[in-house]
Amino acid sequence: MTRVDLPKFPTSHGYMSERVQQAYITAAIENGLLPADAHRMAEVVSLTAPGDTSKPIQFWQLFSVLGQDAIVGVVTRFYGRVFADEPWFTSVFERVGGLHHHVATQASMWIDVMGGGPYYHGAEFRLNFHHEHNAIALMNDKGAERWANLMRQTLDASADLLTDDPRVRISLNTFLSYFMTKYAEEFAFQDRHIFGETNGQLKRRINFLRMTTAAIENLSTQELSDALAEHGVDVSLYPDKQALVEKALMM
Protein backbone atom coordinates (compact mmCIF):
# COMPACT_ATOMS: atom_id res chain seq x y z
CA MET A 1 0.00 0.00 0.00
CA THR A 2 1.30 3.44 -1.00
CA ARG A 3 0.22 6.52 0.91
CA VAL A 4 0.28 10.22 0.03
CA ASP A 5 -0.24 13.17 2.34
CA LEU A 6 -3.71 14.61 1.70
CA PRO A 7 -5.39 17.05 1.57
CA LYS A 8 -3.00 19.32 -0.25
CA PHE A 9 -5.68 22.01 -0.38
CA PRO A 10 -8.48 22.86 2.11
CA THR A 11 -11.97 21.79 1.08
CA SER A 12 -15.58 22.69 1.74
CA HIS A 13 -18.95 22.02 0.15
CA GLY A 14 -20.24 24.40 -2.50
CA TYR A 15 -23.63 25.27 -3.92
CA MET A 16 -23.74 22.06 -5.99
CA SER A 17 -21.34 19.60 -4.42
CA GLU A 18 -23.59 17.88 -1.87
CA ARG A 19 -26.51 17.37 -4.24
CA VAL A 20 -24.29 16.09 -7.05
CA GLN A 21 -22.43 13.84 -4.62
CA GLN A 22 -25.62 12.24 -3.34
CA ALA A 23 -27.03 11.79 -6.84
CA TYR A 24 -23.83 10.15 -8.08
CA ILE A 25 -23.59 7.82 -5.07
CA THR A 26 -27.21 6.72 -5.50
CA ALA A 27 -26.65 5.97 -9.19
CA ALA A 28 -23.34 4.20 -8.49
CA ILE A 29 -25.00 1.97 -5.89
CA GLU A 30 -27.71 1.05 -8.40
CA ASN A 31 -25.02 0.21 -10.98
CA GLY A 32 -22.99 -1.88 -8.54
CA LEU A 33 -20.01 0.49 -8.49
CA LEU A 34 -20.38 1.44 -4.82
CA PRO A 35 -21.51 -0.64 -1.83
CA ALA A 36 -25.09 -0.29 -0.58
CA ASP A 37 -23.92 1.69 2.46
CA ALA A 38 -21.71 4.08 0.45
CA HIS A 39 -23.67 7.10 1.72
CA ARG A 40 -22.23 6.29 5.16
CA MET A 41 -18.69 5.38 4.14
CA ALA A 42 -16.21 8.06 5.26
CA GLU A 43 -13.78 7.39 2.40
CA VAL A 44 -16.59 7.99 -0.09
CA VAL A 45 -18.43 11.00 1.34
CA SER A 46 -15.36 12.88 2.56
CA LEU A 47 -14.17 15.85 0.49
CA THR A 48 -10.58 14.71 1.08
CA ALA A 49 -9.21 12.06 -1.27
CA PRO A 50 -7.97 8.87 0.39
CA GLY A 51 -4.28 8.90 1.20
CA ASP A 52 -4.20 5.19 0.37
CA THR A 53 -3.49 5.23 -3.37
CA SER A 54 -5.17 1.85 -3.84
CA LYS A 55 -8.51 3.57 -3.20
CA PRO A 56 -10.18 5.70 -5.88
CA ILE A 57 -10.62 9.45 -5.76
CA GLN A 58 -14.26 10.50 -5.95
CA PHE A 59 -14.65 13.56 -8.15
CA TRP A 60 -15.88 15.75 -5.26
CA GLN A 61 -12.47 15.06 -3.69
CA LEU A 62 -10.45 16.39 -6.62
CA PHE A 63 -9.95 19.88 -5.18
CA SER A 64 -8.14 18.36 -2.19
CA VAL A 65 -5.51 17.04 -4.60
CA LEU A 66 -5.45 19.61 -7.40
CA GLY A 67 -6.40 22.95 -5.89
CA GLN A 68 -7.65 25.97 -7.81
CA ASP A 69 -4.69 26.67 -10.10
CA ALA A 70 -4.61 23.24 -11.71
CA ILE A 71 -8.37 23.16 -12.25
CA VAL A 72 -8.37 26.64 -13.80
CA GLY A 73 -5.39 25.58 -15.90
CA VAL A 74 -7.23 22.59 -17.40
CA VAL A 75 -10.35 24.66 -18.11
CA THR A 76 -8.25 27.44 -19.69
CA ARG A 77 -6.56 24.97 -22.02
CA PHE A 78 -9.91 23.47 -22.96
CA TYR A 79 -11.43 26.80 -23.94
CA GLY A 80 -8.29 27.66 -25.84
CA ARG A 81 -9.14 24.69 -28.05
CA VAL A 82 -12.83 25.65 -28.17
CA PHE A 83 -12.14 29.17 -29.41
CA ALA A 84 -9.68 27.88 -32.01
CA ASP A 85 -12.15 25.33 -33.39
CA GLU A 86 -14.51 25.39 -36.38
CA PRO A 87 -16.92 28.35 -36.59
CA TRP A 88 -20.10 26.25 -36.22
CA PHE A 89 -18.87 25.18 -32.80
CA THR A 90 -16.98 28.26 -31.62
CA SER A 91 -19.74 30.71 -32.56
CA VAL A 92 -22.11 29.30 -29.93
CA PHE A 93 -19.64 30.16 -27.19
CA GLU A 94 -18.78 33.55 -28.70
CA ARG A 95 -22.42 34.62 -28.54
CA VAL A 96 -22.34 34.12 -24.77
CA GLY A 97 -18.98 35.71 -24.01
CA GLY A 98 -15.26 35.67 -24.59
CA LEU A 99 -12.68 33.12 -23.54
CA HIS A 100 -12.15 34.62 -20.08
CA HIS A 101 -15.89 34.58 -19.36
CA HIS A 102 -16.17 30.88 -20.17
CA VAL A 103 -13.04 29.97 -18.21
CA ALA A 104 -14.34 31.81 -15.15
CA THR A 105 -17.82 30.25 -15.21
CA GLN A 106 -16.71 26.70 -16.08
CA ALA A 107 -13.86 26.71 -13.56
CA SER A 108 -16.16 27.98 -10.81
CA MET A 109 -18.59 25.13 -11.51
CA TRP A 110 -15.78 22.55 -11.46
CA ILE A 111 -14.27 23.93 -8.26
CA ASP A 112 -17.70 23.98 -6.60
CA VAL A 113 -18.51 20.36 -7.49
CA MET A 114 -14.96 19.15 -6.77
CA GLY A 115 -14.98 20.27 -3.14
CA GLY A 116 -13.42 23.70 -3.39
CA GLY A 117 -16.29 25.64 -1.80
CA PRO A 118 -19.24 27.82 -2.87
CA TYR A 119 -18.12 29.27 -6.19
CA TYR A 120 -20.91 28.53 -8.66
CA HIS A 121 -23.72 30.90 -7.68
CA GLY A 122 -27.10 29.75 -8.95
CA ALA A 123 -26.11 26.08 -8.78
CA GLU A 124 -28.29 23.68 -10.81
CA PHE A 125 -30.71 26.39 -11.91
CA ARG A 126 -27.89 28.40 -13.47
CA LEU A 127 -26.35 25.34 -15.10
CA ASN A 128 -29.68 24.15 -16.52
CA PHE A 129 -30.53 27.63 -17.81
CA HIS A 130 -27.19 27.84 -19.59
CA HIS A 131 -27.69 24.54 -21.40
CA GLU A 132 -31.35 25.10 -22.24
CA HIS A 133 -30.84 28.62 -23.58
CA ASN A 134 -27.23 29.65 -24.21
CA ALA A 135 -25.83 26.29 -25.37
CA ILE A 136 -28.92 24.56 -26.74
CA ALA A 137 -27.47 24.58 -30.29
CA LEU A 138 -24.76 22.17 -29.11
CA MET A 139 -26.85 19.91 -26.89
CA ASN A 140 -27.09 17.27 -29.60
CA ASP A 141 -25.02 14.43 -31.04
CA LYS A 142 -22.75 16.64 -33.14
CA GLY A 143 -22.12 19.21 -30.42
CA ALA A 144 -21.61 16.63 -27.67
CA GLU A 145 -19.14 14.66 -29.77
CA ARG A 146 -17.09 17.76 -30.56
CA TRP A 147 -17.11 18.96 -26.94
CA ALA A 148 -16.05 15.54 -25.66
CA ASN A 149 -13.27 15.19 -28.23
CA LEU A 150 -11.81 18.58 -27.33
CA MET A 151 -12.00 17.80 -23.63
CA ARG A 152 -10.26 14.45 -24.08
CA GLN A 153 -7.52 16.12 -26.12
CA THR A 154 -7.12 18.72 -23.37
CA LEU A 155 -6.78 16.11 -20.64
CA ASP A 156 -4.34 14.07 -22.72
CA ALA A 157 -2.16 17.16 -23.04
CA SER A 158 -2.45 18.23 -19.39
CA ALA A 159 -0.55 15.57 -17.47
CA ASP A 160 1.65 18.32 -16.06
CA LEU A 161 -1.37 19.78 -14.23
CA LEU A 162 -2.87 16.51 -13.00
CA THR A 163 -0.04 15.45 -10.64
CA ASP A 164 1.64 12.05 -10.89
CA ASP A 165 -1.28 10.32 -9.13
CA PRO A 166 -3.03 8.26 -11.86
CA ARG A 167 -6.25 8.33 -9.85
CA VAL A 168 -6.72 12.01 -10.70
CA ARG A 169 -7.25 11.48 -14.44
CA ILE A 170 -9.55 8.54 -13.77
CA SER A 171 -11.59 10.66 -11.37
CA LEU A 172 -11.82 13.49 -13.92
CA ASN A 173 -13.02 10.99 -16.51
CA THR A 174 -15.65 9.82 -14.03
CA PHE A 175 -16.78 13.40 -13.39
CA LEU A 176 -17.10 14.15 -17.10
CA SER A 177 -18.80 10.85 -17.90
CA TYR A 178 -21.34 11.37 -15.12
CA PHE A 179 -22.38 14.77 -16.47
CA MET A 180 -22.28 13.57 -20.09
CA THR A 181 -24.72 10.79 -19.20
CA LYS A 182 -26.93 13.28 -17.37
CA TYR A 183 -27.04 15.66 -20.34
CA ALA A 184 -27.52 12.85 -22.85
CA GLU A 185 -30.64 11.75 -20.98
CA GLU A 186 -31.97 15.31 -20.61
CA PHE A 187 -31.37 16.36 -24.22
CA ALA A 188 -31.77 12.97 -25.95
CA PHE A 189 -28.38 12.68 -27.61
CA GLN A 190 -25.95 9.76 -27.70
CA ASP A 191 -24.08 9.16 -24.46
CA ARG A 192 -20.37 9.42 -25.28
CA HIS A 193 -17.93 7.92 -22.78
CA ILE A 194 -14.74 8.75 -24.66
CA PHE A 195 -12.74 10.42 -21.91
CA GLY A 196 -10.95 7.25 -20.79
CA GLU A 197 -10.97 4.90 -17.82
CA THR A 198 -13.46 5.73 -15.06
CA ASN A 199 -13.66 4.63 -11.42
CA GLY A 200 -14.36 0.94 -11.18
CA GLN A 201 -16.18 -1.00 -8.50
CA LEU A 202 -15.18 -0.01 -4.98
CA LYS A 203 -14.60 -3.10 -2.88
CA ARG A 204 -14.71 -2.75 0.86
CA ARG A 205 -11.99 -4.27 2.99
CA ILE A 206 -13.96 -6.50 5.29
CA ASN A 207 -12.75 -7.48 8.76
CA PHE A 208 -14.92 -10.36 9.92
CA LEU A 209 -13.57 -10.11 13.48
CA ARG A 210 -15.21 -6.71 13.88
CA MET A 211 -18.56 -7.74 12.45
CA THR A 212 -21.64 -9.20 14.07
CA THR A 213 -23.21 -12.37 12.75
CA ALA A 214 -26.06 -10.34 11.29
CA ALA A 215 -23.66 -8.00 9.50
CA ILE A 216 -21.80 -10.94 7.94
CA GLU A 217 -25.07 -12.52 6.85
CA ASN A 218 -26.10 -9.25 5.18
CA LEU A 219 -23.04 -9.23 2.94
CA SER A 220 -23.61 -10.24 -0.67
CA THR A 221 -22.25 -13.52 -1.98
CA GLN A 222 -19.65 -11.62 -4.01
CA GLU A 223 -18.53 -9.56 -1.00
CA LEU A 224 -18.17 -12.71 1.10
CA SER A 225 -16.26 -14.49 -1.64
CA ASP A 226 -13.89 -11.58 -2.27
CA ALA A 227 -13.22 -10.98 1.43
CA LEU A 228 -12.51 -14.65 2.12
CA ALA A 229 -10.23 -14.86 -0.91
CA GLU A 230 -8.24 -11.89 0.47
CA HIS A 231 -7.74 -13.98 3.63
CA GLY A 232 -6.28 -16.82 1.55
CA VAL A 233 -9.39 -19.02 1.57
CA ASP A 234 -10.06 -21.24 -1.44
CA VAL A 235 -13.63 -20.07 -2.04
CA SER A 236 -14.24 -22.78 -4.65
CA LEU A 237 -14.72 -25.13 -1.69
CA TYR A 238 -17.79 -23.19 -0.56
CA PRO A 239 -20.55 -23.59 -3.17
CA ASP A 240 -23.20 -21.17 -1.90
CA LYS A 241 -23.73 -18.12 0.29
CA GLN A 242 -24.58 -20.08 3.42
CA ALA A 243 -21.33 -22.02 3.18
CA LEU A 244 -19.43 -18.76 2.74
CA VAL A 245 -21.18 -17.24 5.75
CA GLU A 246 -20.30 -20.22 7.91
CA LYS A 247 -16.66 -20.01 6.84
CA ALA A 248 -16.58 -16.26 7.56
CA LEU A 249 -17.96 -16.84 11.05
CA MET A 250 -15.06 -19.21 11.71
CA MET A 251 -12.41 -16.65 10.77
Side-chain angles (χ1 to χ4, degrees):
M1 178 182 72
T2 303
R3 294 196 63 85
V4 292
D5 186 20
L6 295 171
K8 295 181 179 179
F9 302 92
T11 63
S12 65
H13 276 296
Y15 296 112
M16 292 182 64
S17 56
E18 285 187 278
R19 178 173 290 186
V20 172
Q21 178 193 72
Q22 294 304 308
Y24 174 83
I25 291 173
T26 298
I29 291 172
E30 292 175 355
N31 293 326
L33 293 174
L34 289 176
D37 61 347
H39 287 288
R40 301 187 299 276
M41 293 177 64
E43 69 186 81
V44 173
V45 300
S46 173
L47 293 180
T48 299
D52 179 353
T53 58
S54 69
K55 296 181 179 181
I57 295 175
Q58 306 301 330
F59 61 73
W60 49 88
Q61 300 169 341
L62 280 167
F63 190 87
S64 72
V65 181
L66 293 175
Q68 178 173 308
D69 289 349
I71 293 171
V72 172
V74 171
V75 174
T76 299
R77 292 179 182 183
F78 170 69
Y79 278 105
R81 292 176 184 271
V82 167
F83 277 82
D85 204 63
E86 298 177 14
W88 70 268
F89 187 77
T90 301
S91 62
V92 177
F93 295 89
E94 289 176 333
R95 284 196 292 270
V96 178
L99 185 147
H100 294 297
H101 167 80
H102 286 283
V103 169
T105 54
Q106 183 80 78
S108 67
M109 182 269 190
W110 280 32
I111 290 169
D112 191 299
V113 174
M114 293 176 180
Y119 277 79
Y120 194 67
H121 298 272
E124 286 89 348
F125 175 84
R126 179 183 179 184
L127 189 62
N128 293 339
F129 183 91
H130 170 68
H131 290 131
E132 292 172 1
H133 298 276
N134 298 333
I136 191 63
L138 298 178
M139 304 306 288
N140 50 50
D141 286 325
K142 184 179 180 182
E145 181 177 23
R146 193 69 192 135
W147 193 99
N149 275 324
L150 292 177
M151 180 57 74
R152 186 190 66 236
Q153 292 170 20
T154 300
L155 295 179
D156 288 348
S158 297
D160 59 310
L161 297 177
L162 303 185
T163 79
D164 58 359
D165 188 335
R167 299 179 299 165
V168 169
R169 173 63 189 271
I170 295 171
S171 183
L172 275 167
N173 294 342
T174 304
F175 163 72
L176 294 166
S177 295
Y178 171 74
F179 276 95
M180 182 63 75
T181 296
K182 179 178 182 295
Y183 300 149
E185 292 173 353
E186 292 175 357
F187 294 94
F189 60 75
Q190 183 178 345
D191 190 0
R192 301 178 186 280
H193 287 83
I194 63 171
F195 305 105
E197 180 185 357
T198 55
N199 284 347
Q201 183 183 20
L202 176 64
K203 296 182 179 180
R204 293 183 296 175
R205 290 182 176 174
I206 296 171
N207 186 340
F208 295 121
L209 294 176
R210 296 183 178 181
M211 299 177 68
T212 65
T213 298
I216 291 174
E217 291 174 342
N218 285 332
L219 294 173
S220 69
T221 300
Q222 189 62 54
E223 287 175 323
L224 284 162
S225 180
D226 290 345
L228 286 168
E230 288 182 2
H231 284 81
V233 174
D234 182 357
V235 294
S236 66
L237 301 176
Y238 304 91
D240 53 37
K241 180 176 179 178
Q242 185 56 42
L244 292 169
V245 168
E246 292 173 358
K247 178 60 178 177
L249 292 171
M250 295 170 59
M251 297 296 290

